[in-house]
């Protein structure tokens, strides 16, 4: 008989404990440090209940109740674990509470010498997040934006779960190898505290200041259409522009053919007037800074344009032909075919003693 009664009591106890004897609402709280917080503990049947907590705790109620509220005006305990319980501890529930704090500051820097950066050298970017909790919920992202405004996400990192509730400093690092295209770009990092659906939405994000980077790189000649061969007509002016990209700005030297005279060099441009056949050859530009140099050679061939010469000879032949024709006309045609005439030969001869006779009704004078 005693065994039956014991089994019955055990069955009733199991039914009671298996059922959700206490309900906490909300069951999970995400509270900013220093803000107020509250939660209700309820039971289907009236019971004596209380809250056990380092902040806002209350003892068992004097009478059986269905509801009991836990409340604090300012949460300032990082490890508070409020627990609702009934008389004798037969039933208890713990409130899941997360106390968070936004970072005091977020900053980005890089460590490696020399300063500024040099292309193809590796540097370590560091994003420092100061005084944040809980750090296991932190997501840190590194960004880059180039001079055209295009933004790139470089990496996202987070700490492994270490169950630390109090504020900590977080240092996140990323290896970064700049290229010449990164000169003038900006780097920064953001710290996002992702506290889940119960936390603030959207998750709070705090960004660092932007780090302007200066990247040094050796010159690269940008002559268009490049290192090539070209032809130029004798007598024309040769102008070659050997501009180069480099940081720091490069200096320029030219290697010219030995017979190239009258060269005018102004930084990246070389100019030669009145090109001659002997000026043909290789024209080499050298752009250099302390990181290295770049060269470009243009093979110039000076050609003779025979068309003006032919045209000139033809014009000279025409002029000579005209001169000869005029000479022949004046010297031969006029003298041989038309004869020589004088005005006095066209008048009749008169003498002092002259006679006039009538001949066929006409007067004639004769000697």
């Amino acid at each position: 008989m005693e065994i039956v009664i014991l089994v019955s009591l055990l069955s009733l106890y199991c039914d009671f404990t298996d059922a959700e004897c206490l309900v906490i609402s909300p069951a999970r709280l995400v509270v900013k440090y220093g803000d107020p917080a509250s939660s209700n503990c309820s039971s289907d049947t009236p019971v004596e209940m209380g809250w056990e907590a380092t902040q806002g705790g209350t003892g068992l109620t004097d009478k059986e109740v269905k509801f009991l509220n836990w409340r604090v005006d300012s949460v300032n305990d990082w490890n508070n674990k409020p627990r609702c319980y009934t008389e004798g501890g037969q039933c208890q529930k713990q409130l899941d509470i997360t106390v968070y704090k936004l970072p005091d500051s977020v900053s980005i820097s890089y460590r490696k010498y020399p300063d500024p950066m040099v292309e193809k050298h590796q540097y370590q970017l560091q994003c420092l997040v100061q005084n944040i909790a809980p750090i296991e919920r932190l997501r840190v992202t590194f960004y880059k934006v180039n001079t055209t405004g295009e933004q790139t996400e470089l990496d996202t990192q987070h700490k492994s779960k270490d169950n630390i509730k109090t504020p900590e400093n977080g240092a996140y690092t990323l290896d970064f190898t700049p290229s010449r295209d990164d000169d003038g770009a900006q780097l920064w990092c953001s710290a996002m505290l992702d506290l889940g659906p119960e936390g603030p939405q959207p998750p709070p994000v705090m960004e660092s200041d932007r780090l302007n980077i200066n990247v040094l790189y050796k010159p690269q000649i940008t002559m268009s259409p490049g290192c090539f061969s070209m032809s130029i007509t004798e007598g024309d002016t040769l102008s070659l522009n050997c501009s180069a990209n480099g940081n720091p700005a490069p200096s320029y030297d030219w290697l010219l053919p030995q017979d190239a005279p009258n060269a005018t060099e102004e930084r990246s441009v070389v100019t030669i007037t009145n090109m001659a056949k002997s000026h043909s050859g290789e024209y080499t530009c050298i752009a250099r800074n302390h990181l290295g140099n770049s060269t470009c050679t243009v093979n110039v061939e000076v050609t003779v344009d025979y068309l003006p010469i032919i045209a000139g000879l033809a014009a000279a032949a025409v002029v000579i032909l005209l001169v000869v024709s005029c000479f022949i006309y004046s010297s031969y045609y006029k003298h041989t075919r038309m004869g020589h005439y004088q005005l006095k030969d066209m008048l009749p001869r008169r003498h002092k003693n002259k006679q006039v006779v009538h001949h066929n009704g006409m007067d004639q004078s004769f000697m």
Side-chain angles (χ1 to χ4, degrees), residues 110 112-118 123 214 216:
Y110 72 91
K112 184 169 180 173
Y113 295 94
D115 187 22
M117 293 182 176
V118 178
Y123 298 83
N214 182 20
L216 302 182

Side-chain angles (χ1 to χ4, degrees), residues 119 180 183 214-222 243-252 267 287-292 294:
E119 71 168 339
R180 64 182 57 218
D183 184 36
N214 182 20
V215 181
L216 302 182
Y217 52 93
K218 73 176 187 178
Q220 181 177 0
I221 292 177
T222 58
S243 59
N245 291 328
N247 190 14
S251 60
Y252 298 89
R267 287 181 58 82
R288 57 166 57 92
N289 61 21
H290 72 275
L291 295 175
S294 178

Side-chain angles (χ1 to χ4, degrees), residues 33-340:
Y33 185 82
D35 284 357
S38 64
S39 184
N40 285 322
C41 181
S42 61
S43 173
D44 290 338
T45 59
V47 292
E48 293 180 5
M49 66 177 70
W51 279 95
E52 182 181 334
T54 55
Q55 268 191 287
T58 59
L60 283 172
T61 57
D62 295 335
K63 57 182 180 178
E64 294 180 343
V65 294
K66 285 189 174 184
F67 301 95
L68 186 62
N69 181 257
W70 171 82
R71 178 178 177 81
V72 291
D73 294 331
S74 177
V75 175
N76 51 31
D77 184 356
W78 298 101
N79 293 299
N80 194 4
K81 299 178 180 179
R83 182 175 61 90
C84 180
Y85 64 95
T86 61
E87 184 182 5
Q90 293 178 349
C91 191
Q92 56 185 352
K93 278 290 181 94
Q94 182 173 310
L95 172 64
D96 183 4
I97 182 171
T98 299
V99 182
Y100 73 92
K101 177 186 177 301
L102 298 179
D104 292 339
S105 65
V106 178
S107 60
I108 189 171
S109 61
Y110 72 91
R111 296 183 298 173
K112 184 169 180 173
Y113 295 94
D115 187 22
M117 293 182 176
V118 178
E119 71 168 339
K120 299 181 181 179
H121 287 209
Q122 189 177 81
Y123 298 83
Q124 187 178 76
L125 302 179
Q126 177 177 276
C127 185
L128 182 61
V129 184
Q130 292 186 318
N131 207 24
I132 187 171
I135 198 168
E136 66 178 27
R137 296 282 187 167
L138 181 63
R139 300 289 183 273
V140 169
T141 303
F142 290 87
Y143 294 95
K144 178 185 75 174
V145 60
N146 60 22
T147 53
T148 63
E150 180 182 359
Q151 180 173 304
T152 304
E153 181 179 319
L154 300 177
D155 190 35
T156 298
Q157 302 176 12
H158 60 88
K159 296 285 188 180
S160 59
K161 293 184 177 181
D162 49 19
N163 204 32
I164 297 176
K165 306 298 182 183
T166 56
E168 279 193 338
N169 294 334
Y172 301 79
T173 60
L174 176 67
D175 290 335
F176 177 69
T177 303
S179 69
R180 64 182 57 218
D181 294 334
D182 293 324
D183 184 36
Q186 294 180 325
L187 301 172
W188 79 95
C189 62
S190 68
M192 182 178 71
L193 199 58
D194 187 2
L195 299 166
E198 294 83 4
Q201 299 298 322
V205 176
M206 187 171 180
E207 294 184 351
S208 70
D209 290 335
R210 299 200 173 192
L211 179 65
N212 297 303
I213 60 174
N214 182 20
V215 181
L216 302 182
Y217 52 93
K218 73 176 187 178
Q220 181 177 0
I221 292 177
T222 58
M223 181 182 289
S224 178
C227 302
F228 58 99
S229 297
M230 64 174 293
S231 296
I232 187 171
T233 304
E234 189 175 32
D236 287 350
T237 297
L238 174 69
S239 181
L240 297 176
N241 188 343
C242 177
S243 59
N245 291 328
N247 190 14
S251 60
Y252 298 89
D253 291 313
W254 283 92
L255 300 179
L256 308 179
Q258 185 175 1
D259 293 334
N262 305 325
T264 302
E265 299 178 28
E266 183 179 353
R267 287 181 58 82
S268 63
V269 180
V270 63
T271 302
I272 300 177
T273 59
N274 195 22
M275 289 288 288
K277 184 70 175 178
S278 60
H279 301 164
S280 298
E282 293 183 344
Y283 291 72
T284 300
C285 170
I286 304 173
R288 57 166 57 92
N289 61 21
H290 72 275
L291 295 175
N293 62 73
S294 178
T295 63
C296 182
T297 299
V298 180
N299 190 4
V300 177
E301 180 183 2
V302 181
T303 60
V304 178
D305 188 358
Y306 291 101
L307 183 60
I309 297 176
I310 295 173
L313 292 175
V318 170
V319 171
I320 293 172
L321 183 60
L322 290 175
V323 171
V324 171
S325 299
C326 290
F327 177 78
I328 293 173
Y329 175 80
S330 62
S331 300
Y332 177 78
Y333 181 81
K334 290 178 65 177
H335 287 277
T336 60
R337 300 196 59 182
M338 298 185 68
H340 298 277

